Amino acid sequence: MTSTDSAHKAPAKDPWDLPDVSGLVVGVLGGTGPQGRGLAYRLARAGQKVIIGSRAAERARAAAAELGHGVEGADNAETARRSDVVIVAVPWEGHAKTLESLREELAGKLVVDCVNPLGFDKKGAYALKPEEGSAAEQAAALLPESRVTAAFHHLSAVLLQDAEIERIDTDVMVLGEVRADVEIVQALAGRIPGMRGIYAGRLRNAHQVESLVANLISVNRRYKAHAGLRLTDV
């Protein structure tokens, strides 16, 4: 490369220069469960338009009424159709079946998988490894026409749902194949006071991010806490 080429090279993009996502509609599949409700509440409280989904529309509407902040409830299919970004917060046991049933509705959508495949026994929580490598990679395999990312794994459902807590000081590791999609999810995380969304690699690295939740559960049990994650020097 010549010195002239160097002089005309575009400056590196600021990694904190994230898009405006305030106008996007966010759907939450599994929105009546603790994690889904918590994420829906925090995003809606930050001004995001949120729809929570459930297999039963009535249950979703009842949960939405409790959350307030303009949250709507619908069945999973309608939630997927009406949303720009769809967060998957269903139990691991129903993950594959739910996504398979919504493949058409999720086509072209930005899907954010936050499911943690875990098992539990008398020693506590432990990570499971899906055949595809991770929950996020399973989602990508089942939704070939969707843009799949992974994020929001390490958040305490208790803190998310506590209306007395103004800020949740934690980082959200975001993984994906397309940088523009990852940046949208980073920006969504950043809408919640105290949170930062941080790029953490491609989907092939999702397993260890999902698995870390087993460690956090151990931390929480030992210290009677709701531990999160902070990445230093970023």
Side-chain angles (χ1 to χ4, degrees), residues 117-207:
L118 297 175
F120 295 87
D121 61 18
K122 60 185 180 182
K123 293 183 179 180
Y126 60 95
L128 304 175
K129 187 153 190 181
E131 184 180 340
E132 298 85 355
S134 64
E137 288 168 294
Q138 183 183 85
L142 293 172
L143 303 172
E145 295 180 52
S146 302
R147 297 139 53 207
V148 176
T149 61
F152 300 117
H153 300 92
H154 307 132
L155 306 180
S156 163
V158 173
L159 297 185
L160 288 173
Q161 294 182 82
D162 189 340
E164 298 298 313
I165 294 176
E166 297 289 333
R167 293 173 55 86
I168 299 181
D169 292 314
T170 192
D171 289 331
V172 173
M173 298 174 75
V174 186
L175 302 96
E177 300 302 315
V178 178
R179 191 63 59 87
D181 291 338
V182 170
E183 289 180 349
I184 289 172
V185 182
Q186 287 180 261
L188 277 174
R191 297 268 286 159
I192 299 172
M195 282 192 196
R196 299 187 304 174
I198 295 181
Y199 172 70
R202 294 178 178 269
L203 287 186
R204 68 181 183 181
N205 291 320
H207 171 66

Side-chain angles (χ1 to χ4, degrees), residues 67-95:
L67 293 175
H69 297 281
V71 176
E72 291 185 47
D75 64 33
N76 282 333
E78 182 183 341
T79 298
R81 280 194 299 268
R82 291 178 56 196
S83 302
D84 302 303
V85 179
V86 179
I87 297 173
V88 180
V90 300
W92 166 240
E93 293 75 18
H95 184 259

Side-chain angles (χ1 to χ4, degrees), residues 21-140:
V21 295
S22 58
L24 297 179
V25 178
V26 178
V28 184
L29 304 181
T32 58
Q35 194 79 358
R37 283 174 65 104
L39 282 168
Y41 172 69
R42 287 292 159 177
L43 288 168
R45 181 167 157 170
Q48 209 73 36
K49 174 59 188 172
V50 177
I51 307 170
I52 58 174
S54 173
R55 286 176 296 176
E58 279 303 316
R59 190 166 64 205
R61 283 193 281 268
E66 291 174 7
L67 293 175
H69 297 281
V71 176
E72 291 185 47
D75 64 33
N76 282 333
E78 182 183 341
T79 298
R81 280 194 299 268
R82 291 178 56 196
S83 302
D84 302 303
V85 179
V86 179
I87 297 173
V88 180
V90 300
W92 166 240
E93 293 75 18
H95 184 259
K97 186 176 179 181
T98 299
L99 296 184
E100 283 173 336
S101 71
L102 296 171
R103 183 175 295 172
E104 184 177 330
E105 289 83 359
L106 291 171
K109 305 289 184 177
L110 175 53
V111 174
V112 187
D113 202 295
C114 69
V115 175
N116 303 303
L118 297 175
F120 295 87
D121 61 18
K122 60 185 180 182
K123 293 183 179 180
Y126 60 95
L128 304 175
K129 187 153 190 181
E131 184 180 340
E132 298 85 355
S134 64
E137 288 168 294
Q138 183 183 85

Side-chain angles (χ1 to χ4, degrees), residues 4-24:
T4 303
D5 291 332
S6 299
H8 289 90
K9 186 178 179 181
K13 182 179 182 294
D14 180 353
W16 297 110
D17 180 16
L18 300 172
D20 178 7
V21 295
S22 58
L24 297 179

